Amino acid sequence: MRVLVVEDHAALADGIARSLRQSGYAVDVIADGEEADDILRTQEYGLVVLDLNLPKLDGLEILRRLRHRGAESAVLILTARGDIEDRVKGLDLGADDYLAKPFELVELEARVRALMRRNAGTHNTQIKCGKLTFDTVARRVTIDGDDVEIPRRELNILEILLLRLGHVLSKEQISDQLVGFEDDISANAVELYISRLRKRVELADVKIQTVRGLGYLLKKT
């Protein structure tokens, strides 16, 4: 759910960020290669959208260092249309996909969704747990086929829990994937969102269990 966009073209970076935020992702934007490398040493992201031609440190070196540290973030590299050699180098260094400029934002969004599904170990656009179905493309939740209205923050938390089905997630892990640097969310706010979400999915045969001292676990009842 957390995405880092590393792109020094301000208008393009802003367009990518706005598009991904509208799709429910928490997005951070960095224009400087060295700063991006520093952030990636300490912050975990589900996806890095990485331009190759960056000031101070190029994208291929950022990617090389990222994989050398053992980071498993999905990486989508952005390249100029004719740079075949850079695409090959990027894929060989551990990039998961590439997109040639110029591109349409709808294609970028589709590739991002595909990479997020791949990271979660599924190729299905719908995540199912008991009677509950979450459509990752339409951002739609149904229980026994009936639509359930869920506000954006709670919907994002549900997706985070579904993508880690059967695993305990701490409040910090949830909040880290929920917002970017420009936002802040407290542990109490996470508790409130979880409480509201439990009520919205109570008709489904799923349970958001509190694991004392550890966090939350979504499982089928």
Side-chain angles (χ1 to χ4, degrees):
M1 301 302 301
R2 187 88 176 265
V3 179
L4 178 65
V5 176
V6 189
E7 169 62 64
D8 65 331
H9 188 290
L12 177 58
D14 182 64
I16 293 172
R18 282 189 287 107
S19 175
L20 293 178
R21 285 171 182 145
Q22 288 172 1
S23 296
Y25 299 103
V27 182
D28 297 320
V29 179
I30 298 296
D32 179 291
E34 286 186 354
E35 186 178 354
D37 184 54
D38 288 342
I39 288 170
L40 287 168
R41 290 176 185 275
T42 58
Q43 179 65 55
E44 182 180 349
Y45 288 90
L47 171 70
V48 181
V49 179
L50 180 64
D51 186 31
L52 296 186
N53 186 20
L54 295 165
K56 298 186 180 180
L57 191 67
D58 69 72
L60 289 176
E61 180 60 19
I62 293 171
L63 176 58
R64 187 191 68 78
R65 295 182 185 186
L66 182 72
R67 293 304 186 224
H68 182 72
R69 293 192 294 269
E72 297 182 354
S73 304
V75 175
L76 171 63
I77 58 175
L78 305 179
T79 72
R81 187 169 295 279
D83 292 342
I84 301 296
E85 185 177 347
D86 281 345
R87 297 181 207 172
V88 172
K89 286 181 180 177
L91 292 170
D92 284 343
L93 284 171
D96 297 274
D97 198 0
Y98 72 86
L99 193 56
K101 300 177 182 178
F103 54 81
E104 297 292 333
L105 288 174
V106 289
E107 182 180 3
L108 180 134
E109 292 168 6
R111 289 176 182 264
V112 167
R113 289 192 296 267
L115 288 173
M116 290 298 198
R117 291 195 300 270
R118 188 189 305 173
N119 262 16
T122 179
H123 294 286
N124 199 330
T125 60
Q126 294 188 337
I127 306 172
K128 297 184 179 182
C129 182
K131 299 177 182 178
L132 186 146
T133 301
F134 179 79
D135 188 320
T136 60
V137 177
R139 310 295 297 168
R140 174 174 171 250
V141 174
T142 59
I143 295 176
D144 251 355
D146 295 325
D147 287 332
V148 180
E149 291 295 328
I150 301 180
R152 182 174 61 87
R153 277 275 166 87
E154 294 165 40
L155 186 65
N156 290 345
I157 290 177
L158 177 61
E159 183 176 19
I160 291 168
L161 293 171
L162 282 168
L163 288 172
R164 296 288 290 165
L165 193 63
H167 293 79
V168 177
L169 294 177
S170 68
K171 294 175 188 175
E172 291 76 16
Q173 287 175 307
I174 293 172
S175 62
D176 279 350
Q177 294 299 312
L178 201 59
V179 297
F181 291 143
E182 297 177 358
D183 299 309
D184 189 23
I185 181 170
S186 67
N188 288 339
V190 172
E191 288 181 11
L192 178 61
Y193 290 135
I194 291 287
S195 176
R196 291 174 177 172
L197 183 58
R198 281 188 175 120
K199 295 176 182 177
R200 297 184 196 279
V201 300
E202 61 185 0
L203 294 181
D205 50 350
V206 299
K207 179 181 181 182
I208 303 175
Q209 178 181 341
T210 299
V211 182
R212 190 173 298 277
L214 295 176
Y216 300 100
L217 169 69
L218 178 68
K219 62 180 184 179
K220 184 179 176 182
T221 56

